[in-house]
Amino acid sequence: MSATKFKLNVSTIINKNGLILIQKRAMDEEVFPGLFGIPGGTVEATDKNLMAALQREVMEEVGVTISDIKLFQNNIVTKPDKSTLYMVFASDYESGTIKAMDGTESVQWSNLEEIKTLEFTPTTKELLIDYYGKNRKDSLTKFITKPNTSYLKL
């Protein structure tokens, strides 16, 4: 049995008042140049933990800090020469001014309608649509479980 290389990748959907921070990858990037994506990258051996790796990647790529970080989705992609575990988190914007930095051509806050029109790295658009859908369901569930019944009182 031969050993397979294994890599761990973290990324995050950063929410600020219902808008999502997306980045356009630089044209000189080796993988998916010029496509939109979300901040993230490879966990390094020097990272203290997953959250430290995620916060480092976000700062390196878009220059902001994040908070309220929660695991949103994960999956393993296996290719003949390596396997990668992708861990996608959802987080809130905390502070900083967005700017295109390491490997990034541009950054912007976008809503769902705009996201639907842009060209993203594989599975990212579907991931963001899923995120918006789940957040809307959560909001709707809160409304439905505590309906306003004051009109029923005589």
Side-chain angles (χ1 to χ4, degrees):
M1 178 181 212
S2 63
T4 302
K5 289 182 183 178
F6 189 81
K7 185 170 117 175
L8 177 56
N9 185 288
V10 292
S11 59
T12 187
I13 301 167
I14 304 173
N15 184 330
K16 179 182 179 186
N17 301 321
L19 298 176
I20 301 301
L21 183 61
I22 60 173
Q23 64 187 101
K24 186 172 186 181
R25 296 174 61 82
M27 290 306 291
D28 62 356
E29 281 292 292
E30 185 178 325
V31 181
F32 308 119
L35 297 182
F36 283 91
I38 56 176
T42 303
V43 175
E44 304 292 340
T46 55
D47 290 321
K48 183 177 178 183
N49 55 44
L50 290 176
M51 295 305 110
L54 183 61
Q55 291 170 331
R56 174 186 54 75
E57 286 289 344
V58 169
M59 182 55 72
E60 286 176 358
E61 293 182 5
V62 296
V64 300
T65 59
I66 54 176
S67 61
D68 196 25
I69 303 165
K70 296 178 181 142
L71 183 62
F72 180 69
Q73 191 178 95
N74 68 85
N75 68 315
I76 295 176
V77 175
T78 301
K79 295 181 180 179
D81 60 332
K82 70 177 176 181
S83 293
T84 304
L85 169 58
Y86 291 93
M87 298 185 75
V88 180
F89 295 85
S91 61
D92 290 333
Y93 163 84
E94 185 172 90
S95 66
T97 302
I98 61 170
K99 53 188 169 233
M101 296 170 67
D102 187 30
T104 303
E105 182 178 306
S106 64
V107 291
Q108 64 192 58
W109 294 104
S110 295
N111 62 29
L112 178 60
E113 297 313 310
E114 185 175 20
I115 286 168
K116 287 179 179 179
T117 68
L118 300 172
E119 192 173 349
F120 281 84
T121 57
T123 72
T124 303
K125 184 182 290 190
E126 294 79 9
L127 176 81
L128 294 174
I129 291 169
D130 185 39
Y131 172 81
Y132 267 105
K134 286 185 175 167
N135 278 332
R136 286 192 176 146
K137 285 179 197 166
D138 290 346
S139 298
L140 203 61
T141 301
K142 288 175 190 170
F143 174 75
I144 291 170
T145 57
K146 294 194 177 195
N148 181 355
T149 57
S150 60
Y151 63 90
L152 296 174
K153 296 177 184 172
L154 299 175

